Amino acid sequence: MTEAAGHGATSSPDADVFELLGRASAWLAQDPDEETRAELIALIADATGGGETSIAELHDRFDTRLPFGTAGLRGAIAAGSNRMNRVLVSQAAAGIAAHLLEKADDGEIPSVVIGYDGRKNSRVFATDSAEIFAGAGVRAVLLPRMLPTPLVAFAVRELGLSAGVMVTASHNPPLDNGYKVYLGGADEGSQIVSPSDEEISAHILRVARELTVPELARSSEYEIAPETLIDAYVAKTAAVGWLPASEIGAQPRVVYTAMHGVGWQTFAAVLGRAGFIEPDVVEAQIHPDPAFPTVVFPNPEEPGALDLAYATARTEGAHLIIANDPDADRLGIAIPDADSPEGYRRLTGNEVGALLGWRAAEQFAATADDSAGPVDTSGAGAPATLACSVVSSPALAAVAAAYGLRFRETLTGFKWVSRVPGLIFGYEEALGYLVNPETVRDKDGISAAVAFLSLASDLAVDGFTIADQLDNFSEKFGHFGSAQISLRVTDLSRIGALMLQLRTTPPSVIGGIAVASIEDLSHGSAELPASDILRIRTVDGSRIMVRPSGTEPKLKVYIDVSSDSGTLHERKASVAARLSALETGMRELVS
C-alpha cells in the first residue's frame, strides 16, 4: 500500500470520468427508446473525447436520481437517472407493482388503472407501465385514450381498484413529464402520502439495482377501460351543477381554453349532460399539442397564458373565461374588467375558492337536516368541513364560521386536502378545487368549472355577475386580498439559503408593518405535521407564508390581508394599501 493510499487517496479526474461513462453506458444498454439512446450515444462519444460540456451534462444526468415522493416523479424528458424516460418509468412501474403485491391480502390480485395526457411520451410511458404491471401479476387497466387526470382518481374508486397512475406533468414546461400515484381502499383514490411514498421508492431503487429493463417481466394482457367508465364520470360530474331549460337564456357567454391539453372533450360532454350551451373556444389551444406552441408555460396562472383567451373573449363579448391546465385538474377563471388593459381580469385561486366555498356552504345549509346538525353525506359521521391548504386565504375560515361548519387547514397539496374527514369542499390557492369529494378525491378542474358556471348562471337569473358576488362576499364576510411572489431559480441551493436567512435573521418589520410572530412549521404544530414553511403574522392581522415549491425550482411567498371594518370601498382600500406594502417588503427580503 502506498503512503497516499494509506491516507485515503481519492480517484483521479480520469477515473471519475471513466466511472461516469460506465454508468452512462450501463443505462444506454437497457434503454429501449431510440430518441434517448441516440442522445446518450452522442453525449458518451463526446465525453469520451474529453468534451467538458458533455461530461458536465452526464454528471447532471447520472450523479443523482429523480426522486420519487408523494408527488410521484416529475422532470425533463431525456436520458439519465435524473430525467424522465422509459428506463426510469419502467423501474417505477416495477417498484409500484412490487409494493401493491406486498400489501395485497393472501389470494388477492392487486389492481391499477393507468391514465395519460397529451404530453410527449405520455402514451408510451403509460403503455410501458401497463405491460410491466401485467407482467408482474397486477391487474392493469389502461384508460382508452388521453384523458384528464381526475379520471384516474375517479376510476380508482369507481372500479374498486388498488391504485392508479397518471402520466402527466400537469402545467409544467413543455419538455417535462411526470408520474402521479393514487391509492384505493381506505385512501379512496387520493394521492399517496407518507409512508407509502418511501415504501414505493425503496422498491423502485431495489429494482434499479437488481434488474435491467429488458429483464422486467412484461405482458400485453392488460385491460382497456370501457367507455362506460368515462360516461359514469360525465354523469356524476354533470350533477355538480345543471342548468334548467327554463333558465338557459341566463347562461353567461363563455370562452373556454384547454391550454393545449386534454380537457375539452370531457368538459364538453359534461356541459352537454348538464344542459349548458357549448362555449366559444380558443381554437389555437383547444386540441392537445405537446409542444404548447402558444404559451411559454401552459399554466393559467402564468403571465401571457390567457392572452388568446382574452382576445377571443373580446371578439365574442364573453362574460366569463374558463381555462383548464393541460391535464384539466386545475381551473382558471377570468371576468370582464374595464380597468384592465385586456378588458378581463383573472381571478386569483383564493377568489374562486372563496366563491365556491360559499356556494358549498349555502348548498349544505339548504339540504342539511337541522335536527341532525351539520354532518357530511358520506355516512362517516364527521362534521361537515370546509378545508384549504395552509397557504390559501383565511377567507374560507370566515365562511365556515358564518355557517357553523368545521374548518381545517392542511399542508400544501391535494393529497392532504382530499383526506380531510367530512369534507364538503376543499381548495388550494394554486387553482385546485374539490367540489364533489363523494366522486373524486383530488382536485378536478372540470367539476369545478361546472360548479362555477352554475354559480354564474344562477347569479345571472337574478341580474347579478361574478363581480357583484365578489362584492357581496366582501360585505358579508370581510374583504380579503392575496398576493404571491414566485421566485424561480436555476440554483436550488439559493432556496435553502433564503429559508435559512429568514430563520436565522428574522425580520421585525415588513413593508413598514411590524411583525407580531414568526412560526417555523419545520417542527410541526398542533394542527399540522412538520413542513418546510414559515408563517409570519403582522400586528395588523395579516399573514405571510414562505415555502419552497414541491414541484418546481421556486421559492413561493403568499401574502394575505383582510378587513371587515368600514364601507366596502374602505375595506378594499385598506387591504390594497397593506397588501402592496407587504409585497414590496417581502420582495426586498427575498431578492
Side-chain angles (χ1 to χ4, degrees):
M1 179 181 292
T2 66
E3 183 178 352
H7 285 84
T10 58
S11 58
S12 68
D14 287 346
D16 285 341
V17 173
F18 182 79
E19 189 273 338
L20 173 64
L21 291 172
R23 283 186 281 132
S25 296
W27 187 275
L28 176 64
Q30 62 176 324
D31 189 349
D33 188 88
E34 290 301 319
E35 181 177 336
T36 50
R37 282 180 59 82
E39 165 192 310
L40 192 51
I41 287 170
L43 281 172
I44 291 172
D46 190 58
T48 301
E52 293 184 2
T53 301
S54 294
I55 290 171
E57 180 68 13
L58 288 175
H59 273 299
D60 186 57
R61 294 184 184 210
F62 287 100
D63 281 0
T64 187
R65 185 180 178 90
L66 205 62
F68 181 92
T70 54
L73 297 166
R74 193 174 293 190
I77 298 173
S81 58
N82 196 30
R83 301 290 190 271
M84 279 296 295
N85 49 68
R86 293 181 68 186
V87 175
L88 196 81
V89 166
S90 296
Q91 293 167 344
I96 294 166
H99 174 78
L100 295 177
L101 290 163
E102 180 181 68
K103 296 295 183 181
D105 294 331
D106 290 343
E108 178 191 1
I109 298 176
S111 51
V112 60
V113 61
I114 308 102
Y116 58 96
D117 66 5
R119 282 181 175 266
K120 180 179 179 179
N121 284 2
S122 285
R123 181 179 176 84
V124 174
F125 293 161
T127 303
D128 278 343
S129 298
E131 291 177 352
I132 289 170
F133 285 132
V138 174
R139 179 191 169 203
V141 182
L142 182 66
L143 292 185
R145 58 182 180 278
M146 60 179 76
L147 286 162
T149 290
L151 265 294
V152 170
F154 172 78
V156 172
R157 296 177 77 182
E158 184 74 4
L159 300 178
L161 303 179
S162 308
V165 166
M166 180 66 189
V167 181
T168 179
S170 192
H171 56 276
N172 271 39
L175 295 181
D176 285 6
N177 214 326
Y179 206 74
K180 295 173 68 172
V181 181
Y182 302 82
L183 290 178
D187 293 280
E188 297 187 290
S190 292
Q191 290 184 56
I192 57 170
V193 294
S194 182
S196 295
D197 60 325
E198 292 101 333
E199 294 168 353
I200 293 172
S201 180
H203 279 296
I204 294 171
L205 294 175
R206 176 188 56 77
V207 168
R209 285 193 309 269
E210 299 177 359
L211 296 167
T212 65
V213 170
E215 291 172 329
L216 297 175
R218 287 177 178 260
S219 172
S220 59
E221 297 299 314
Y222 56 83
E223 304 171 31
I224 301 297
E227 287 293 328
T228 52
L229 174 69
I230 292 89
D231 292 342
Y233 171 84
V234 168
K236 291 185 178 182
T237 304
V240 167
W242 59 284
L243 186 68
S246 61
E247 297 180 4
I248 198 165
Q251 178 184 326
R253 183 149 196 172
V254 177
V255 161
Y256 174 81
T257 175
M259 206 69 66
H260 298 296
V262 296
W264 171 237
Q265 186 178 35
T266 304
F267 182 51
V270 171
L271 290 181
R273 182 72 66 93
F276 289 99
I277 301 169
E278 194 167 282
D280 299 302
V281 301
V282 181
E283 289 289 350
Q285 298 177 335
I286 202 64
H287 300 297
D289 187 335
F292 303 103
T294 68
V295 291
V296 178
F297 290 101
N299 179 353
E301 288 185 296
E302 291 286 344
L306 292 180
D307 285 354
L308 288 182
Y310 293 149
T312 305
R314 289 193 296 269
T315 299
E316 303 296 341
H319 309 110
L320 187 67
I321 294 171
I322 293 176
N324 283 136
D325 68 338
D327 68 327
D329 66 347
R330 285 176 169 84
L331 169 68
I333 294 290
I335 62 173
D337 184 348
D339 295 329
S340 169
E342 295 85 4
Y344 291 84
R345 177 178 76 87
R346 183 184 67 79
L347 302 188
T348 68
N350 285 321
E351 288 175 312
V352 174
L355 293 186
L356 289 177
W358 186 12
R359 176 181 184 269
E362 279 283 321
Q363 289 183 330
F364 185 83
T367 58
D369 181 353
D370 293 337
S371 63
V375 297
D376 75 334
T377 57
S378 68
T385 303
L386 301 178
C388 65
S389 65
V390 69
V391 298
S392 299
S393 171
L396 194 63
V399 175
Y403 284 83
L405 302 172
R406 186 175 67 164
F407 172 73
R408 286 291 179 270
E409 284 184 321
T410 73
L411 294 181
T412 55
F414 252 85
K415 56 184 173 284
W416 301 111
V417 175
S418 68
R419 293 170 183 271
V420 171
L423 186 68
I424 61 171
F425 172 75
Y427 92 98
E428 59 181 1
E429 50 70 42
L431 309 190
Y433 314 96
L434 177 50
V435 301
N436 56 342
E438 71 285 353
T439 301
V440 175
R441 284 280 169 173
D442 196 19
K443 58 183 174 290
D444 183 347
I446 293 177
S447 60
V450 174
F452 202 90
L453 180 55
S454 177
L455 170 64
S457 299
D458 289 343
L459 290 169
V461 169
D462 296 323
F464 296 108
T465 65
I466 292 296
D468 295 328
Q469 189 72 343
L470 287 168
D471 284 346
N472 293 338
F473 187 99
S474 296
E475 290 177 335
K476 182 177 178 68
F477 304 105
H479 185 67
F480 293 79
S482 302
Q484 185 180 136
I485 301 169
S486 195
L487 179 67
R488 185 178 290 271
V489 301
T490 54
D491 180 2
L492 286 175
S493 66
R494 188 181 174 200
I495 293 176
L498 286 169
M499 292 296 290
L500 180 62
Q501 176 184 318
L502 289 172
R503 286 184 166 104
T504 55
T505 56
S508 59
V509 176
I510 301 173
I513 302 174
V515 172
S517 66
I518 300 179
E519 186 178 5
D520 187 349
L521 296 180
S522 64
H523 308 297
S525 69
E527 302 85 19
L528 297 167
S531 187
D532 190 9
I533 299 175
L534 292 174
R535 178 161 52 194
I536 305 170
R537 298 189 188 278
T538 57
V539 294
D540 67 337
S542 301
R543 188 195 71 186
I544 301 167
M545 310 292 289
V546 187
R547 73 173 182 96
S549 170
T551 57
E552 297 177 273
K554 292 180 177 180
L555 180 73
K556 306 191 86 170
V557 180
Y558 309 81
I559 306 168
D560 287 284
V561 179
S562 64
S563 173
D564 59 3
S565 299
T567 64
L568 176 61
H569 175 75
E570 289 168 340
R571 293 179 183 188
K572 287 183 176 182
S574 171
V575 167
R578 288 181 289 138
L579 196 61
S580 176
L582 289 172
E583 182 176 1
T584 298
M586 284 306 301
R587 287 191 183 278
E588 292 172 353
L589 280 174
V590 301
S591 61

